Amino acid sequence: MTFSVAVAGASGYAGGEVLRLLAAHPDYEIKTVTAHSNAGQLLGDVQSHLRSLAHLRLVETTSENLTGHDVVFFALPHGASGEISSQLGSDTLAIDCGADHRLERESDWVAFYGGEYYGSWTYGVPELPVTAGRQRDRLVGTKRIAAPGCNASTVALSLAPGIAAGVIESSDIVTVLAVGPSGAGKNPRVNLLASEILGSANPYAVGGTHRHIPEIKQALRTAGATDDLSVSFTPVLVPMSRGILATSTARIRPGVSAEEVRSVWEAAYEGEPFVQVFPEGRFPRTADTLGANTCLMGVAVDEAAGRVVIVAALDNLVKGTAGAAVQSANIALGLPETSGLNTDGVAP
């Protein structure tokens, strides 16, 4: 069976990446692509790298244009997909790559985003350890999926194994991320100009203000974090077009050995095609994940500090967004989870 697909927000970075992955997928047929200011143009004029889809014409992002498809991917700014998606039939599989349906608590939405709250959908991070199994179990057969925030899923995948196994404390988590500017979307901004970021590393959303913080906490609570959960999160913009390198640390519980700590992460992701732990002493680069649906990790124990250090790398546009969306859609539809996705990056 081939599933008909519409992609809303096809002219942006996330929408373009969803289309790139779907173009080679054997079970999806792209029927409709939508945009706002670019409506009326050919897709090839705004996403010139998508040569196999260049003939498609962008139409307005309306519920009328999205209705009637088996699958609809939303790649819109936060606050834009909630109302439109609510008008789709319950038999349509909807996947939101934006933030509108990620947060379970309305208070978190109001505090970090604002505007109308449209409720939460099934979280689209299949490998995430939860208190009873994996998040993928909750994706089977669902019709509404919230793809993750790229920073949030990187940190959650990094720390959830230790939380779920009870080997780290949740009261003292610190994470610092080097991130590429494509995560901020395609709209031009002064702070994202090449002249502003080349040759520089620029911290932003410092002091607990980043919108992915409640999403990280939500995922770690799902993995079993206690009420004393505390996450210090600092992103740093660096001059690479795509990629995230997250260095996360947490205090190890008394009496837990370094060998036990490492075995927890290895067991958590054993057999996972897209989340892989490097051998001891090795750590990933963002370049290792370019274009691939992989999250690669290195795990170390700082015995002097009594902390575990996890270094995780992924492509924010693939595993961080579009790849997670396609992977989750595959699971929901009963397709092979790996279909249309790859683990090989592009080098150099």
Side-chain angles (χ1 to χ4, degrees):
M1 177 180 179
T2 299
F3 297 93
S4 62
V5 176
V7 176
S11 59
Y13 286 145
E17 199 70 358
V18 168
L19 288 168
R20 183 180 73 85
L21 297 176
L22 294 178
H25 198 295
D27 299 300
Y28 296 128
E29 183 179 2
I30 301 165
K31 292 285 193 179
T32 302
V33 290
T34 83
H36 178 53
S37 60
N38 296 116
Q41 293 183 261
L42 289 172
L43 182 66
D45 292 336
V46 295
Q47 301 280 21
S48 57
H49 63 298
L50 300 176
R51 301 316 305 160
S52 65
L53 304 174
H55 62 284
L56 296 176
R57 191 168 295 277
L58 294 158
V59 298
E60 290 284 349
T61 303
T62 65
S63 59
E64 291 77 14
N65 285 332
L66 298 173
T67 297
H69 299 82
D70 297 317
V71 185
V72 177
F73 290 87
F74 289 92
L76 303 173
H78 76 266
S81 65
E83 182 178 356
I84 297 175
S85 64
S86 67
Q87 299 173 44
L88 296 181
S90 59
D91 58 337
T92 299
L93 173 58
I95 305 98
D96 191 357
C97 295
D100 287 19
H101 300 97
R102 293 174 188 158
L103 299 181
E104 297 173 356
R105 297 180 178 179
E106 184 174 358
S107 58
D108 285 340
W109 176 263
V110 171
F112 284 84
Y113 290 92
E116 187 169 354
Y117 175 66
Y118 286 93
S120 64
W121 291 356
T122 308
Y123 196 47
V125 184
E127 304 90 349
L128 184 69
V130 296
T131 50
R134 289 286 187 276
Q135 182 66 15
R136 70 164 45 82
D137 300 329
R138 304 176 182 185
L139 287 163
V140 176
T142 188
K143 289 295 185 180
R144 296 291 186 267
I145 296 171
C150 52
N151 297 311
S153 62
T154 311
V155 176
L157 287 168
S158 297
L159 294 165
I163 294 288
V167 299
I168 61 174
E169 298 176 357
S170 57
S171 60
D172 183 18
I173 290 171
V174 179
T175 183
V176 179
L177 294 81
V179 304
S182 59
K186 204 171 185 178
N187 288 333
R189 303 178 195 175
V190 171
N191 68 309
L192 302 180
L193 293 173
S195 57
E196 299 290 332
I197 66 172
L198 292 180
S200 180
N202 307 299
Y204 68 100
V206 177
T209 61
H210 197 284
R211 287 168 167 167
H212 286 179
I213 291 174
E215 185 181 341
I216 294 169
K217 289 184 174 181
Q218 177 178 289
L220 295 181
R221 284 194 299 267
T222 302
T226 54
D227 291 339
D228 64 352
L229 175 62
S230 175
V231 178
S232 174
F233 173 95
T234 305
V236 180
L237 192 68
V238 297
M240 57 185 181
S241 61
R242 56 166 81 195
I244 295 174
L245 188 75
T247 302
S248 303
T249 78
R251 188 169 299 281
I252 300 169
R253 291 192 181 278
V256 179
S257 69
E259 293 75 17
E260 289 176 288
V261 169
R262 181 167 184 83
S263 68
V264 162
W265 269 263
E266 291 174 339
Y269 296 125
E270 183 179 6
E272 289 288 353
F274 299 124
V275 181
Q276 300 166 6
V277 178
F278 276 16
E280 186 173 3
R282 285 189 56 200
F283 299 91
R285 311 170 303 161
T286 56
D288 299 326
T289 68
L290 184 64
N293 191 52
T294 53
C295 178
L296 305 179
M297 294 184 194
V299 179
V301 173
D302 184 340
E303 297 196 50
R307 302 182 73 88
V308 63
V309 181
I310 305 98
V311 180
L314 56 70
D315 185 325
N316 58 292
L317 293 178
V318 189
K319 184 56 176 166
T321 307
V326 173
Q327 183 183 349
S328 298
N330 287 342
I331 296 170
L333 293 170
L335 300 172
E337 184 174 337
T338 58
S339 189
L341 302 167
N342 67 73
T343 57
D344 294 329
V346 179

